[in-house]
Structures are given as structure tokens and as C-alpha cells.
Amino acid sequence: MHIDTKKVKALLKARDLTLSELLERAGVSKTAYYHLVRKSNLLPRSIDRITTILGVGPRALLSDELPAVRKVRLREELVQQIQHDFPDVDADNVRHTLILLERPPLERLNGALRRGLATSVCS
Amino acid sequence: MDSPHLFAHRELSLLRALQEHEVPYLVVGLGAATLQGAPVVTQDIDLWIEDLRDARFQAALESVGAIYVSGFGHSPPAIAGEGFELFDLVLNMSGLPDFRKEFEEALFIEIEGVSVPLLPLSKIITSKKAANRQKDKLVLKVLEDVQKTLQATAGKKSP
């Protein structure tokens, strides 16, 4: 289970708070917060502080998104972030690179070799 | 169903032999780019050997039953033997005149317990730009985008 940022944003909006204000009041660093968002294992103390400020129970922050869907969403967010940092990159190139980086090197190499046998563009 | 691996036990045994015999070499070209995450295709694994006359190189080949075939005419040198057809020997890299310098800055990647020295992506790009062949131009944009992706994700774990 992990934090659903959309749920956090909705709660912040309802309370007229910004994320920075919430984290400052809760004494949770931005690094720790983004760690909570990206990791599936929650840190109870940080969650307690955040839910205390928001006046909700921990379940109100948890995502019901399927892990596979979350993986794709996080990858797409990263693609957009990289496009923001490097406006001239092609999103497909970035996306395919990120997908390949999730695989072991040998699997990457064998995939490239298999595809290479069916194409004329090679090294 | 996945097709069988093209780069498997025999191919890996050659890289292991090069490591065990301490042969100075680098995997270069698009094979090296793929190992670093580039979504490109290749038909071979290019090996840049510092010195093809090095006794350690010859011993490494012999230990796995491979045979060195010296170049003749327009044919480059090659490695003969079943399972070694994927390997091409590279004598020179465009834009990278000094093997030793590149070897000292190699990127090592672990494949099934073998530490494989790669030419870093930035240097592959340098070499492709210098070679400036049509097939090099076709992959340059992809390689440059991969380099930016690696820069942006350095130190981050993939989702």
C-alpha cells in the first residue's frame, strides 16, 4: 500500500492548505514525503503526523490503484518530468529506455539482437 | 513464448575467458548501448581489443575453443567457432584514438557473474558522430535521448 497523491491533494484543497504547509506543520521533509509516495512500505510515524494535521485516518491517504497501473503511471510521470527538463527529447525514446532499464542487461541485449535480425538498421 | 537467447552460455563464456585472462577489451557499438538501456537493435557484439597479438587474448580464445582469424583483403579479423558468430572485432573507433584512455573510463556491468567493460554511452555517441555513416545518423537521436534519460534518472530507482 502507498499514499495516493490525488487523495492528499483533495484533502489539502478541502482544508485550504498547500503540500509545503502540510509537510512543514507535520515536520516531514519533502524527501521523506516523496519516499512515501514512491515506496510501497509506509513509514508509520510520518503518516501519523500527516494524518494528524489533516484530521483523517491513515486509510484516507492510501491508494487503491493496482500495482501494475501505478507502475505505468509513475513511469509516465517520469517521462513528463524528463521532457520538462529536456524539451527536445522524444517521449517514446525516454519511455522505451525506462522500460528497458527495468529489465536485466542480458535481457536487454537479447531483445536487441532478436530485433536486429529482422531489421536492416544495425551497428 | 520467448525465442531462445541469442547471447547465451557460449557467448558469455568468451567474455568470462577475456576477464579471467585479464585481456584489455571493451564492448562498444550498439551492443554496449543496449546494455546501458538504449532501445536500439543490433546484429552483433563489437569487441574493441587493445592488441590482437596479445598472448592473453590468444589464450582466452583457446580456453573456450575459439579461433582467431586474421583479417585479409577487405575482411576484418574475426573470431571463429560455434557460438562466437555474434562477435565482431573492432580495431579502431572513430573519434576515439586512445584505447587505453577509454578502457580506464570504462563502465562495468555485471552479466551472470562476469564483469563486462563497456564503452560509456557518451563515448558511443562521440564515435557515432565521428563515423557519420548513414546508419550512425539514424540512431544518434535515440542515443542522445537515452543519455538525457540516464542523466535525469541518475540515482533514482525505476518505478
Side-chain angles (χ1 to χ4, degrees), chain B residues 35-55:
Chain B
L35 286 166
Q36 290 168 72
V40 292
V41 298
T42 187
Q43 292 179 324
D44 47 43
I45 311 294
D46 293 330
L47 301 181
W48 187 11
I49 310 285
E50 182 176 35
D51 182 0
L52 292 172
R53 296 162 301 177
D54 189 329

Side-chain angles (χ1 to χ4, degrees), chain A residues 86-91 93, chain B residues 125 136-148:
Chain A
F86 299 97
D88 61 329
V89 295
D90 180 277
N93 289 341
Chain B
I125 291 170
D136 298 317
K137 292 176 190 173
L138 285 172
V139 295
L140 262 177
K141 167 66 175 159
V142 178
L143 297 181
E144 287 171 341
D145 284 357
V146 173
Q147 190 178 26
K148 287 167 186 166

Side-chain angles (χ1 to χ4, degrees), chain A residues 50-89:
Chain A
I50 289 170
T51 52
T52 298
I53 299 296
L54 293 173
V56 295
R59 294 192 68 82
L61 301 184
L62 299 181
S63 170
D64 43 21
E65 192 176 43
L66 291 170
V69 175
R70 172 180 158 78
K71 190 174 178 179
V72 171
R73 184 178 56 73
L74 287 177
R75 187 193 300 138
E76 285 309 307
E77 285 177 8
L78 192 49
V79 171
Q80 286 173 23
Q81 185 187 321
I82 292 169
Q83 272 198 302
H84 178 267
D85 294 342
F86 299 97
D88 61 329
V89 295

